[in-house]
């Protein structure tokens, strides 16, 4: 979520006594890493590019002698410019997909950046469909987020838009962990036909609601029956989530 100068970061490992060593500055010059960008640190970018698909050939940093990271097991340490450990991984080849016959050249991928670094269940082999590695772009096995957190609920589940002062409209209530989500809300009838667009690209607060008055896009009353309120939300990270809520339109006679 912020810009990081890679000149301020170092790669390292631990020796047999647990002491941090083999520090290597990621970049000797100012090199800015922007939010949601990826950088590949390697001793030889040409080899990586020849073995895997690199979607951004400029996103490589070459370090002449990278710290030792054996295939079977080891540790990777990321430090800042005052020697504090930013993150540390103690990896093991056993974390690879168990049915993989040959692990040579297969990347070990972190599944979710928000889960503990050293959780074995948070690592697995890169997918074969991407050539077992995704240098310069998102891990093939990434399974965070991808859905924004939050909820969308309706109230009441049966309403009668007849202006008698009792359940005359439907409230579409939302609750998100933070403001800034964008919502598209539409209503479909029981046959799946679009009857009303309630909101299009509406920027939402953290908590709030939208209203449906029981009219279609032509401002006519919809027939009684079951309807689906379809809500799609997304954020600037490209995360999307959809909600479907059933509601009954009734009439008083």
């Amino acid at each position: 979520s912020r810009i990081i100068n890679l000149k301020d970061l170092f790669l390292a490992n631990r020796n047999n006594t647990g002491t941090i060593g083999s520090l290597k500055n990621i970049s000797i010059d100012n090199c800015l890493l922007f939010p949601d960008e990826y950088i590949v640190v390697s001793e030889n970018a040409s080899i990586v590019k020849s073995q895997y698909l690199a979607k951004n050939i400029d996103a490589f940093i070459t370090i002449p002698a990278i710290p030792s990271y054996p295939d079977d097991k080891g540790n990777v340490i990321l430090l800042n410019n005052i020697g504090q450990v930013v993150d540390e991984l103690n990896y093991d080849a056993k974390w690879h997909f168990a049915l993989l016959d040959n692990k040579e050249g297969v990347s070990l991928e972190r599944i979710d950046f928000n889960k503990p670094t050293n959780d074995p269940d948070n690592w697995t082999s890169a997918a074969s469909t991407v050539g077992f590695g995704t240098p310069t772009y998102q891990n093939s096995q990434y399974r965070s987020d991808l859905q924004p957190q939050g909820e969308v609920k309706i109230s009441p589940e049966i309403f009668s838009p007849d202006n008698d002062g009792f359940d005359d409209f439907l409230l579409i209530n939302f609750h998100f962990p933070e403001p800034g989500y964008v919502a598209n809300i539409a209503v479909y009838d029981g046959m799946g036909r679009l009857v009303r667009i309630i909101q299009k690209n509406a920027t939402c607060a953290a908590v709030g609601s939208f209203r449906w008055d029981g009219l279609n896009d032509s401002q006519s009353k919809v027939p009684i029956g079951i309807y689906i309120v379809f809500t799609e939300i997304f954020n600037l990270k490209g995360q999307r989530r959809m909600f479907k809520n059933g509601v009954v339109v009734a009439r008083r006679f």
Side-chain angles (χ1 to χ4, degrees), residues 161-249:
D162 50 14
N163 203 36
D164 66 351
F166 181 77
D167 290 342
D168 286 329
F169 52 85
L170 176 75
L171 284 179
I172 304 162
N173 304 300
F174 59 84
H175 188 176
F176 303 136
E178 58 189 5
Y181 285 79
V182 179
N184 294 312
I185 306 175
V187 179
Y188 294 83
D189 65 16
M191 300 294 292
R193 295 171 296 198
L194 176 66
V195 296
R196 179 72 181 272
I197 296 176
I198 298 176
Q199 293 291 333
K200 188 173 183 179
N201 294 330
T203 303
C204 302
V207 179
S209 63
F210 296 105
R211 190 178 71 168
W212 181 37
D213 53 10
L215 303 180
N216 60 24
D217 280 334
S218 300
Q219 296 300 298
S220 301
K221 291 182 179 180
V222 300
I224 61 174
I226 298 174
Y227 291 82
I228 300 296
V229 179
F230 181 81
T231 304
E232 177 194 30
I233 64 170
F234 61 95
N235 58 25
L236 295 180
K237 299 177 182 178
Q239 299 172 322
R240 294 179 180 270
R241 188 175 179 183
M242 292 167 284
F243 301 83
K244 291 193 294 185
N245 299 96
V247 62
V248 174
V249 175

Side-chain angles (χ1 to χ4, degrees), residues 2 9-14 20 26 69 75-80 83-90 110 112-119 122-123:
R2 58 193 177 92
L9 293 177
F10 295 79
L11 285 176
N13 58 17
R14 292 187 186 273
I20 296 177
I26 291 181
Y69 301 130
N75 55 76
V76 183
I77 303 175
L78 186 68
L79 301 102
N80 60 22
Q84 293 177 325
V85 175
V86 177
D87 205 356
E88 180 173 355
L89 169 68
N90 299 303
R110 187 170 183 167
D112 188 344
F113 299 144
N114 297 309
K115 291 183 178 179
T117 302
N118 289 287
D119 180 359
N122 196 28
W123 294 83

